[in-house]
Amino acid sequence: MSAHERFDLSGRTALITGGSRGIGRGIAIGLAQHGADVAIVYRSAEREANEVVEAITSLGRRAWAERYDLAETDGLADLAARTWDATGGGHVLINNAGLGYLEHFNRITPETWNRTMAVNVDAVFRLSQAMAERMIAGGIQGRIINLSSVNGLVAEAGLAHYNASKGAVEMLSQSLAIELGPHGITVNTICPGIIETEIGGEFDIDVEAFCQYFKAHVPLGQRFGEVEDCVGAAVLLASRAGAYITGQRIVIDGGVMCEQVPRIQFMPRYRNTLTAGD
Ligand code: NAP
């Protein structure tokens, strides 16, 4: 099999939650560009969801969209069954939909805690369970890819519920990787840093000051990530090229997580070495 064929997703069907906007939208279209048929789940953005369906069908692939609030966790097994039947099976599950609230730890209400856990964790668990059962029954060596976050690896103040939810996704994914490995099903996470989407758009912060501060700490280009920066990782993990990768995470953060709080700038002898060339 050629290297090119290893990334070919023809004949494969993917279910992507949160496929109407942001990273999920980019991955949905990216998988279709590699030959996959794609079903998306969204919560409210119907026009955007329809546009994704149109973009995928214009590539000659089949596409479906279903409106469903993933916080309604009791209905998730039925959602998986409906999607499986409508699409004629499923090879790839991408648990992408997620949400977060920026608020101090002692201001977190049961409502924001529960909603974060329901969408970011419970939905991931229940859909993975329902889809994995079908993959196993159908002898499908499927793929489960969970959108976690760098916040699942290192905490950020003001996001205790979000951090906890993504940490849970990390451990859940490793657990499933072990249990589903014998069936040839891989389970991995993608951990973005800050990617330019609408998530976090409602955070009550000084956006301009934050952007300047944050970008100064991104080794790779001093910029936020773009949706396109996440698509290749999803294609790799969904494809035959990723057949022997499981229980892993791919961090897409421009290198932010590589760095501890640095001290080199406090060494006058070395100050500006890289830029001044001396
Ligand atoms: P986004 O732009 O806000 O898009 C979120 C998507 O999820 C939308 O399609 C939305 O549907 C859907 N969604 C949200 N809540 C839902 C619910 N209850 N039921 C069904 N669908 C729901 O988010 P994003 O930035 O692309 O983030 C995607 C994933 O990456 C999330 O898991 C997020 O935690 C993770 N992540 C993102 C970043 C980042 O900087 N962007 C960083 C780290 C991790 P509607 O369009 O209908 O609302």
Side-chain angles (χ1 to χ4, degrees):
M1 190 183 298
S2 70
H4 179 73
E5 286 168 338
R6 286 187 178 280
F7 289 96
D8 182 16
L9 298 173
S10 302
R12 298 197 162 200
T13 304
L15 167 61
I16 306 179
T17 64
S20 53
R21 295 184 290 112
I23 296 170
R25 176 186 188 279
I27 291 176
I29 294 171
L31 295 191
Q33 286 168 338
H34 282 258
D37 298 324
V38 182
I40 65 169
V41 175
Y42 67 101
R43 181 193 46 195
S44 56
E46 188 169 358
R47 182 177 51 81
E48 288 86 346
N50 288 335
E51 284 171 4
V52 172
V53 166
E54 278 170 31
I56 292 170
T57 51
S58 73
L59 291 165
R61 311 314 324 166
R62 297 185 303 157
W64 305 262
E66 175 158 349
R67 182 177 191 150
Y68 188 89
D69 184 348
L70 296 165
E72 304 291 332
T73 51
D74 286 343
L76 289 168
D78 286 344
L79 173 68
R82 269 198 309 280
T83 309
W84 188 275
D85 293 343
T87 61
H91 303 85
V92 182
L93 168 63
I94 303 193
N95 287 303
N96 163 79
L99 53 83
Y101 305 91
L102 185 70
E103 51 197 358
H104 285 293
F105 166 69
N106 59 353
R107 295 285 169 87
I108 293 175
T109 61
E111 286 72 30
T112 56
W113 177 271
N114 290 340
R115 188 161 179 87
T116 305
M117 292 299 160
V119 175
N120 292 10
V121 185
D122 293 26
V124 174
F125 167 64
R126 298 221 191 182
L127 283 180
S128 299
Q129 192 179 50
M131 293 295 283
E133 279 172 1
R134 286 176 172 74
M135 288 175 188
I136 292 167
I140 295 170
Q141 301 203 333
R143 305 278 193 270
I144 298 175
I145 303 167
N146 297 326
L147 265 291
S148 171
S149 169
V150 292
N151 291 59
L153 312 176
V154 176
E156 178 182 347
L159 287 163
H161 31 18
Y162 185 76
N163 300 331
S165 74
K166 295 301 187 180
V169 168
E170 285 298 317
M171 273 298 116
L172 175 64
S173 303
Q174 287 193 16
S175 307
L176 300 191
I178 300 164
E179 296 200 35
L180 295 175
H183 301 282
I185 299 169
T186 69
V187 187
N188 295 285
T189 66
I190 293 173
C191 301
I194 292 192
I195 307 295
E196 296 209 54
T197 70
E198 290 168 33
I199 202 170
E202 291 172 7
F203 291 177
D204 183 19
I205 58 171
D206 180 339
V207 175
E208 205 172 314
F210 168 70
C211 289
Q212 195 179 2
Y213 170 78
F214 187 93
K215 288 178 185 176
H217 291 85
V218 183
L220 212 50
Q222 300 207 324
R223 66 170 176 90
F224 289 147
E226 295 168 6
V227 166
E228 281 303 312
D229 292 315
C230 300
V231 176
V235 172
L236 165 66
L237 295 173
S239 70
R240 278 177 283 263
Y244 201 55
I245 303 171
T246 199
Q248 302 304 306
R249 58 180 73 116
I250 298 180
V251 175
I252 303 174
D253 72 342
V256 173
M257 292 277 289
C258 296
E259 188 179 38
Q260 297 186 30
V261 178
R263 65 191 94 177
I264 194 164
Q265 63 265 42
F266 300 103
M267 298 174 67
R269 226 180 110 206
Y270 293 107
R271 189 174 294 154
N272 298 331
T273 300
L274 289 176
T275 47
D278 59 3

